[in-house]
Amino acid sequence: AALSQHCAELGYDGIDINMGCPDQSAVKGGGGAGMIRTPELAYEIIVAAKTSGLPVSVKTRLGYTYVDEWRDWLGGLLRQDIAVLTIHLRTKKEMSKVAAHYELVSDIIALRDDIAPHTLLTINGDIENRAAGLDLVQKYPGIDGIMIGRGVFHDPFCFEASASASTNTENTTSMPIAASDETR
């Protein structure tokens, strides 16, 4: 709560809480993806962060160990009335060793629409460039943005609109595309 208030005093526009970082140094202390194991504490942190009046967003993973953890975990986060939920479509255990679970995107959108339709939904995982992200947005209506992680290491220009010439230019200007701080 104190940090949130300090951020507001400094003129920040919002607070983004990373509850998906798989780095062992974060997880060992209960942070990052370790928050998935303590959902009640995670919710308390969100409530405290919101005391400043700044919008709060959360970046996370589907679960800690098992993919089927996603419904309870993401549903709990959505019940916290957050501004944006960014989901890395893998578990902490999976890291980036398996393909992102795009088969769940439609169900995740439906869960968001049921619990918190005002929460923006951003997805992350295996998105190499802007064109690939825009293709996903067209394939899964209801996604509000995409996040590119490791793709930026393969191509530092992956955010350029010219890389998505085959997609609808109307979508290229309205969808937020962000870089992930996570490289795993």
Side-chain angles (χ1 to χ4, degrees), residues 47-88:
V47 168
K50 290 171 62 178
T51 60
S52 68
L54 292 174
V56 173
S57 60
V58 173
K59 180 177 187 286
T60 191
R61 289 175 172 259
L62 295 171
Y64 192 87
T65 304
Y66 304 104
V67 175
D68 64 2
E69 297 172 33
W70 76 267
R71 189 173 298 277
D72 289 339
W73 172 237
L74 299 181
L77 291 173
L78 288 165
R79 286 181 188 89
Q80 305 311 305
D81 192 31
I82 55 178
V84 180
L85 178 61
T86 300
I87 306 163
H88 184 124

Side-chain angles (χ1 to χ4, degrees):
L3 180 58
S4 175
Q5 185 59 45
H6 184 65
C7 289
E9 291 167 3
L10 292 173
Y12 281 70
D13 294 322
I15 296 172
D16 185 56
I17 305 171
N18 189 340
M19 296 185 178
C21 179
D23 188 81
Q24 192 56 37
S25 63
V27 172
K28 183 172 71 176
M35 297 302 302
I36 298 168
R37 290 182 152 173
T38 56
E40 294 305 320
L41 178 58
Y43 308 152
E44 288 179 32
I45 290 170
I46 293 169
V47 168
K50 290 171 62 178
T51 60
S52 68
L54 292 174
V56 173
S57 60
V58 173
K59 180 177 187 286
T60 191
R61 289 175 172 259
L62 295 171
Y64 192 87
T65 304
Y66 304 104
V67 175
D68 64 2
E69 297 172 33
W70 76 267
R71 189 173 298 277
D72 289 339
W73 172 237
L74 299 181
L77 291 173
L78 288 165
R79 286 181 188 89
Q80 305 311 305
D81 192 31
I82 55 178
V84 180
L85 178 61
T86 300
I87 306 163
H88 184 124
L89 295 168
R90 295 184 182 92
T91 66
K92 186 273 185 208
K93 183 178 180 183
E94 291 175 325
M95 300 290 281
S96 290
K97 297 174 186 169
V98 302
H101 293 282
Y102 284 101
E103 72 275 10
L104 298 175
V105 172
S106 294
D107 289 337
I108 291 169
I109 292 168
L111 182 71
R112 183 275 313 265
D113 291 349
D114 183 49
I115 295 174
H118 58 280
T119 297
L120 299 176
L121 186 62
T122 301
I123 60 170
N124 174 240
D126 295 336
I127 303 170
E128 292 293 320
N129 55 47
R130 183 182 184 98
L134 292 172
D135 287 345
L136 288 168
V137 169
Q138 288 180 343
K139 183 175 181 179
Y140 300 104
I143 294 173
D144 299 296
I146 59 118
M147 180 177 281
I148 298 174
R150 291 175 295 144
V152 76
F153 294 111
H154 304 298
D155 177 11
F157 303 101
C158 65
F159 299 104
E160 290 186 350
S162 62
S164 57
S166 66
T167 59
N168 181 341
T169 55
E170 183 178 315
N171 288 336
T172 63
T173 58
S174 62
M175 186 196 53
I177 300 176
S180 172
D181 65 342
E182 198 172 287
T183 60
R184 290 161 190 77

